[in-house]
Amino acid sequence: MKLTTAQALVAWMIAQHSETLDGREVPLFPAVFAIFGHGNVLGLGTALEERRDVIPVWRGHTEQGMALAAVGLAKATHRRQVGVATSSIGPGALNMVTAAGVAHANRLPLLLLPGDTFVSRAPDPVLQQVEHFDDATATVNDAFRAVSRYFDRITRPEQLIATLPQVARVLTDPADAGPVTLALPQDVQAETFDFPETLFEPVVHSIIRARPDHRLLAEAARALRASSRPLLVLGGGVRYSGAGQRAVEFAERHGIPITETTAGRTLVRHDHPLYAGPLGITGSSSANTLAAEADLVLAVGTRLQDFTTASWTVFAPDVRLVSINAARFDAVKHGALAVVADAGAALGDLVAPLAEWRVDSAWSSRAAAVRGEWDTYIDKLRAPTAGLASYAQIVGAVNDLSEPTDYVMTASGGLPGELVGGWRAHGGEPTMDVEYGFSCMGYELAGAWGAAMGHRRGLVTTMLGDGSYLMLNSELFSAAFAGHPLVAVVCDNDGYAVIARLQENQGGSPFNNFYTDCRSNHPRPPRVDFAAHAHSLGCAVFTAADLDGFRHAYARAREVAVQQSRPAVVVVRTQPSSWTEAGAWWEVGVPEHLAGRPAYDEAKPGQVRHLRS
């Protein structure tokens, strides 16, 4: 088939399909987010226009925003579908680097197609080209190498034949999932080649379920049998495997208390008798209590990031770590007994060697007991008070008014701690996206646009602070223009409140976080009218001054978003200094002269650096 490089790439994308967790066949690439410029408008842009009836193209308004929307789509579909983002060369391409970092840190598939300079070099230097004095082959797209799981620059059309199978491998492999960057020089996009028809035959990418090595599985079973206080930690890998129910049944069979990481949140029903709560700094004191008492941790589908492990102080120094992970890179961390396998497959295969083994009922019952204490604490935080609402109260109201199939999101600032620690899940299908691998300010709105495309069984609500809103808000208009309903809850507390908390709690002076502590030449600096701004972007807007007003505004926003197929924004003033505290330590660099240094010196020796293998 004689096609241009761009036409061949689009035809290949259309031929790719995926199998969802419930066995449905869907397009692997359900959406392309595009901003056209001189590096992609005639090549890839023309090819996409020719197939516009088959592969939807959505117009973004910042390259970073539309690429983040593609990431949000992948998360909402549990990595079964992949968003595509294309840009021109130069600044348009570089604007997508941050989104690539988000996808890379969170192990989420993303296909980036930035335009590139001419392979022929005949017109060099072209508009937006950055020239390197010592390397004529380098372009700005080389910046993607550090944040791509797979990178290629297509300098001849026929190179697609070799690289596209690798693209599909990375985007669909549980062990390698992450961003792929194909840099597309604009002259090569327009070149033609006689491509083999087999390249465009339909393919369905099924879920890869690697089985565990039987010897390592037997060793893991022996370690579990030898433990008296095991703890099951469920991460994002359990979600992407679709193994949430199997994990709960495994815990029930053996009486093992369960905790969740940020990426594994909402896998377990909140009132399950074995559920101890979410783990770590943004988790719960209940889960952290059990983690400190456990003699074995069975970590499934998690890379055990520092917020989950409280910088490796949350576990007992002599704890035994058994890790089940699709990626060997993650499984072997911290001296763990590494079982490289799909989460669901490994838990299923552990049933036979463990047989009827169960832990002592006193340890099993600890989960509900300590979680009950945490629930009481959260209930107090949620209780109505006069004046400005707290984050915990806002999260509680959204939780109460949401349906079991709804989807809630956040990414940065103080809200991850409030949402992870305070949300009470119904269990079943995962319904939360807290982007805390890269904690990217601005993901909350852009990612919600993509999530609204991917999550079809309920309404998407995204929660963010005023700082994140100002960081990146243009995709609110993209969602409004496209007609995708969602609700955005904007909590205005006058600045970067959670960083001010970190700064001041360690003895630093209030500086450059709250607006009152920022430099200005005005005696009375201006304030942002978030409601007016969101209205100007085509959103329905509601405001609230207190908790009762917020509950009414949020309920109405939900109705309007669905009725009018557009974003509804709720703006509410919130307290700047009320937080949910899980009682865990987080390592940050504290200078010796600050008041927080003695506490740092006291906590540091308790850090578990090398777990027993």
Side-chain angles (χ1 to χ4, degrees):
M1 299 176 65
K2 188 172 185 179
L3 300 170
T4 67
T5 303
Q7 287 173 325
L9 177 56
V10 171
W12 176 83
M13 289 194 295
I14 292 170
Q16 308 305 302
H17 295 79
S18 175
E19 182 184 62
T20 65
L21 291 174
D22 57 5
R24 292 178 296 112
E25 183 179 319
V26 294
L28 180 62
F29 303 105
V32 177
F33 300 88
I35 294 178
F36 292 134
H38 66 89
N40 66 343
V41 65
L42 295 178
L44 190 57
T46 298
L48 287 168
E49 187 278 329
E50 292 169 347
R51 307 299 300 275
R52 63 190 301 175
D53 58 328
V54 183
I55 185 166
V57 177
W58 302 98
R59 191 358 233 285
H61 292 86
T62 64
E63 290 87 358
Q64 178 179 332
M66 67 183 190
L68 288 174
V71 175
L73 187 155
K75 183 69 172 285
T77 60
H78 316 307
R79 299 200 306 201
R80 294 299 173 264
Q81 292 185 289
V82 181
V84 184
T86 179
S87 75
S88 182
I89 68 174
L94 287 181
N95 283 346
M96 299 195 296
V97 171
T98 298
V102 171
H104 199 290
N106 290 281
R107 316 295 168 83
L108 291 169
L110 169 67
L111 179 56
L112 297 175
L113 305 175
D116 213 327
T117 53
F118 286 78
V119 168
S120 71
R121 304 185 193 169
D124 284 8
V126 299
L127 179 67
Q128 299 180 330
Q129 180 176 353
V130 173
E131 296 179 280
H132 292 257
F133 295 179
D134 61 341
D135 186 353
T137 67
T139 77
V140 296
N141 285 337
D142 289 287
F144 284 99
R145 293 180 185 274
V147 286
S148 295
R149 189 75 71 189
Y150 183 81
F151 177 93
D152 197 0
R153 178 177 283 111
I154 305 302
T155 58
R156 291 183 59 86
E158 59 266 36
Q159 290 173 352
L160 286 181
I161 300 170
T163 204
L164 290 178
Q166 301 299 332
V167 171
R169 171 187 63 83
V170 173
L171 295 176
T172 62
D173 190 331
D176 289 344
V180 170
T181 302
L182 289 185
L184 301 173
Q186 58 179 306
D187 51 348
V188 178
Q189 289 180 46
E191 292 179 6
T192 59
F193 181 76
D194 288 327
F195 289 93
E197 294 183 4
T198 53
L199 186 64
F200 312 115
E201 292 178 354
V203 176
V204 179
H205 299 275
S206 300
I207 301 168
I208 297 174
R209 299 198 181 280
R211 313 300 301 196
D213 179 88
H214 69 277
R215 292 166 299 177
L216 292 173
L217 191 75
E219 189 175 347
R222 285 193 296 270
L224 279 163
R225 283 180 171 276
S227 69
S228 56
R229 300 180 306 280
L231 183 66
L232 180 61
V233 180
L234 305 183
V238 179
R239 169 182 182 158
Y240 303 132
S241 170
Q245 184 59 38
R246 174 166 285 184
V248 171
E249 291 171 354
F250 175 85
E252 291 170 343
R253 182 182 183 92
H254 304 294
I256 305 175
I258 313 169
T259 70
E260 298 168 320
T261 72
T262 297
R265 200 64 174 87
T266 69
L267 285 166
V268 185
R269 189 181 81 245
H270 174 75
D271 60 357
H272 193 284
L274 288 172
Y275 184 54
L279 184 64
I281 298 162
T282 54
S284 61
S285 60
S286 52
N288 295 340
T289 295
L290 258 67
E293 298 174 1
D295 61 357
L296 181 142
V297 170
L298 177 58
V300 186
T302 173
R303 60 198 180 102
L304 294 174
Q305 181 228 31
D306 68 336
F307 262 71
T308 297
T309 66
S311 299
W312 287 96
T313 63
V314 77
F315 301 126
D318 59 347
V319 70
R320 180 75 186 272
L321 179 61
V322 178
S323 180
I324 297 173
N325 206 293
R328 182 174 295 278
F329 181 88
D330 292 318
V332 302
K333 289 176 178 175
H334 298 282
L337 168 57
V339 179
V340 180
D342 168 78
L347 290 173
D349 288 353
L350 270 174
V351 169
L354 289 176
E356 299 306 313
W357 168 80
R358 286 185 63 87
V359 301
D360 188 274
S361 60
W363 174 245
S364 302
S365 63
R366 282 283 287 155
V370 294
R371 198 200 66 242
E373 298 171 3
W374 179 254
D375 288 348
T376 300
Y377 170 66
I378 294 297
D379 286 340
K380 291 179 180 178
L381 293 180
R382 288 184 171 190
T385 54
L388 297 178
S390 68
Y391 273 9
Q393 290 171 329
I394 297 299
V395 168
V398 172
N399 202 169
D400 290 343
L401 294 169
S402 294
E403 298 294 330
T405 55
D406 288 346
Y407 194 78
V408 65
M409 303 176 61
T410 195
S412 61
L415 279 164
E418 307 299 322
L419 204 58
V420 173
W423 191 264
R424 292 172 177 173
H426 296 276
E429 181 182 353
T431 54
M432 181 182 289
D433 176 5
V434 174
E435 194 288 284
Y436 225 46
F438 218 49
S439 187
C440 179
M441 294 180 70
Y443 175 79
E444 298 95 333
L445 293 176
W449 180 29
M453 297 183 193
H455 186 76
R456 302 296 181 86
R457 298 185 61 226
L459 183 64
V460 172
T461 292
T462 185
M463 306 183 70
L464 66 157
D466 51 299
S468 284
Y469 184 96
L470 291 173
M471 188 75 72
L472 186 63
N473 51 58
S474 56
E475 302 328 311
L476 269 178
F477 176 67
S478 300
F481 181 89
H484 293 117
L486 60 95
V487 177
V489 175
V490 181
C491 299
D492 181 5
N493 57 20
D494 257 350
Y496 301 144
V498 76
I499 294 300
R501 168 199 183 195
L502 174 63
Q503 182 183 60
E504 295 174 43
N505 284 359
Q506 297 297 328
S509 300
F511 178 61
N512 205 51
N513 286 310
F514 284 121
Y515 286 119
T516 53
D517 305 316
C518 295
R519 187 182 186 92
S520 173
N521 291 327
H522 297 289
R524 297 184 63 185
R527 285 188 56 86
V528 176
D529 188 336
F530 293 101
H533 185 268
H535 178 74
S536 74
L537 294 179
C539 302
V541 178
F542 304 85
T543 60
D546 55 25
L547 183 59
D548 285 341
F550 174 77
R551 292 181 69 91
H552 176 77
Y554 178 67
R556 182 66 182 134
R558 291 174 56 87
E559 296 173 357
V560 171
V562 174
Q563 291 170 356
Q564 300 181 6
S565 293
R566 62 170 173 155
V569 176
V570 183
V571 180
V572 57
R573 290 277 289 160
T574 53
Q575 295 180 19
S577 57
S578 177
W579 309 101
T580 300
E581 300 284 356
W585 180 67
W586 183 40
E587 183 172 9
V588 293
V590 183
E592 290 186 358
H593 66 280
L594 291 186
R597 182 58 187 236
Y600 172 91
D601 291 336
E602 181 181 354
K604 182 67 175 176
Q607 191 174 58
V608 180
R609 291 191 176 276
H610 302 287
L611 298 179
R612 184 176 61 194
S613 62

